[in-house]
Amino acid sequence: MDTEVDVIEFRVPTENSKTLFIWDISAAFSAAHVYESLWSFFSRFGAIYWLKVSPHAAVARPAFSAVVKFYSAAQASRAQRGASEEPLFHKSPLKVRLCTKQYPADFHNIRPLSVTKCQQLANYYLGFNGWSSRVVTLKSICDNDDCGEPQTCTVLKYGCIVELNFPLHAVRCRGVGVTEETFEQNPGPEELCVKRGELQKRARDRAMVDAFRKVLLVVLGNGKVAVECRLDPEEMIPDEELEGLVKVNDISWSRFECEEEDDNFADLNLDFSHFS
């Protein structure tokens, strides 16, 4: 018998095949109870990206409907089958179907997850101890070569490299994040201190998102998980040679503005010897 495999990517799921629509949920329960019950039930089938519960329109009889979005089409399909066999709010099973909503052509462009969603997805499949992150380098970069200290710059920029480590799978990968703030006037010391902290955090978050963008989770039907990463050539450079590597002007901002990204996984070789 063939082994069932799900490949989970760290990107916003937009496909209809990953989205379930549930309707005609009894209004005898509160919206909060419906939300918690649906989350508890459907999360058994896989990680949930998004769940929304809405009341029916005023012209219809009182009831709720809900939309559940998974990261995996296979898991959404299993959840649909499971919901059709188990009553949750009624004596009869839930009414569930795959979403058939039509979207604009550019809606399905690849968009990275937020840093919080990345962490939640990794924790769901790998556990809190199944991965870690560290800052390889975090530098402030002045826009002008002769501007002196960062306090005299009109534009304050930070570049960061973050490394993800998956120890049980002997896999590491790195991501790059950049942020900038433009000042109409030279900021005071207090404002500059606050802005530095904000920019450093945003740079770290963007670097982590960029690193997770390269990660694939390969989930077998028996629950075992393998981790695979696409490595950039720069990731082979030793840490001591990374000083000065982050150049803000050389990095495409589209990577961090949820625009279309490279989706070429054709050359990825999956090594199933890494399953936990």
Side-chain angles (χ1 to χ4, degrees):
M1 184 175 63
D2 293 336
T3 301
E4 187 175 3
V5 176
D6 288 337
V7 178
I8 310 295
E9 301 176 60
F10 284 80
R11 66 179 181 87
V12 176
T14 59
E15 302 87 343
N16 282 341
S17 60
K18 299 178 180 179
T19 307
L20 297 180
F21 176 67
I22 306 103
W23 74 98
D24 204 21
I25 302 172
S26 173
F29 307 94
S30 67
H33 175 78
V34 171
Y35 182 95
E36 293 175 1
S37 299
L38 290 177
W39 187 279
S40 177
F41 176 78
F42 284 108
S43 61
R44 287 187 272 165
F45 299 93
I48 295 173
Y49 168 73
W50 185 69
L51 169 62
K52 182 179 181 180
V53 176
S54 304
H56 282 184
V59 295
R61 67 182 179 84
F64 292 103
S65 59
V67 177
V68 184
K69 190 177 291 291
F70 289 86
Y71 291 95
S72 160
Q75 291 171 358
S77 179
R78 287 195 294 270
Q80 182 186 18
R81 294 194 300 269
S84 66
E85 299 171 356
E86 183 174 338
L88 192 59
F89 301 104
H90 320 82
K91 295 181 180 180
S92 57
L94 291 173
K95 298 178 180 179
V96 184
R97 69 183 181 193
L98 287 174
C99 182
T100 57
K101 184 176 180 178
Q102 299 297 316
Y103 295 96
D106 60 352
F107 181 80
H108 297 291
N109 289 348
I110 295 176
R111 293 177 289 168
L113 296 175
S114 68
V115 65
T116 300
K117 289 290 188 182
C118 287
Q119 293 168 338
Q120 291 173 348
L121 185 57
N123 290 337
Y124 181 94
Y125 286 106
L126 304 174
F128 292 97
N129 297 322
W131 67 280
S132 63
S133 64
R134 72 180 182 96
V135 174
V136 178
T137 183
L138 177 61
K139 294 174 65 70
S140 63
I141 307 169
C142 193
D143 222 14
N144 302 315
D145 293 338
D146 58 348
C147 67
E149 294 296 321
Q151 290 90 333
T152 64
C153 295
T154 303
V155 179
L156 184 64
K157 297 183 180 180
Y158 275 89
C160 181
I161 297 177
V162 166
E163 179 179 84
L164 299 177
N165 180 27
F166 305 91
L168 298 179
H169 308 273
V171 171
R172 297 170 184 257
C173 65
R174 291 176 175 178
V176 176
V178 292
T179 54
E180 70 174 45
E181 184 80 17
T182 302
F183 301 96
E184 295 181 359
Q185 299 178 351
N186 289 337
E190 184 176 345
E191 181 184 1
L192 185 61
C193 183
V194 172
K195 289 298 182 181
R196 278 178 170 173
E198 294 175 351
L199 290 173
Q200 289 174 0
K201 182 181 184 304
R202 283 162 50 192
R204 288 195 301 268
D205 288 350
R206 287 178 172 178
M208 184 175 291
V209 168
D210 186 50
F212 272 117
R213 179 183 61 87
K214 306 171 186 178
V215 176
L216 290 181
L217 301 178
V218 185
V219 185
L220 289 181
N222 60 8
K224 291 187 175 182
V225 180
V227 178
E228 296 292 339
C229 294
R230 294 182 301 158
L231 298 181
D232 294 334
E234 292 83 359
E235 296 185 58
M236 307 301 179
I237 299 175
D239 291 356
E240 57 269 18
E241 298 181 18
L242 285 172
E243 288 297 322
L245 181 65
V246 180
K247 298 180 180 178
V248 174
N249 291 335
D250 293 338
I251 301 173
S252 172
W253 277 91
S254 62
R255 183 185 300 178
F256 307 105
E257 297 297 334
C258 296
E259 295 181 359
E260 185 171 358
E261 298 181 0
D262 179 20
D263 191 31
N264 180 19
F265 295 98
D267 58 348
L268 180 65
N269 295 318
L270 299 180
D271 183 2
F272 288 89
S273 65
H274 294 160
F275 279 100
S276 59

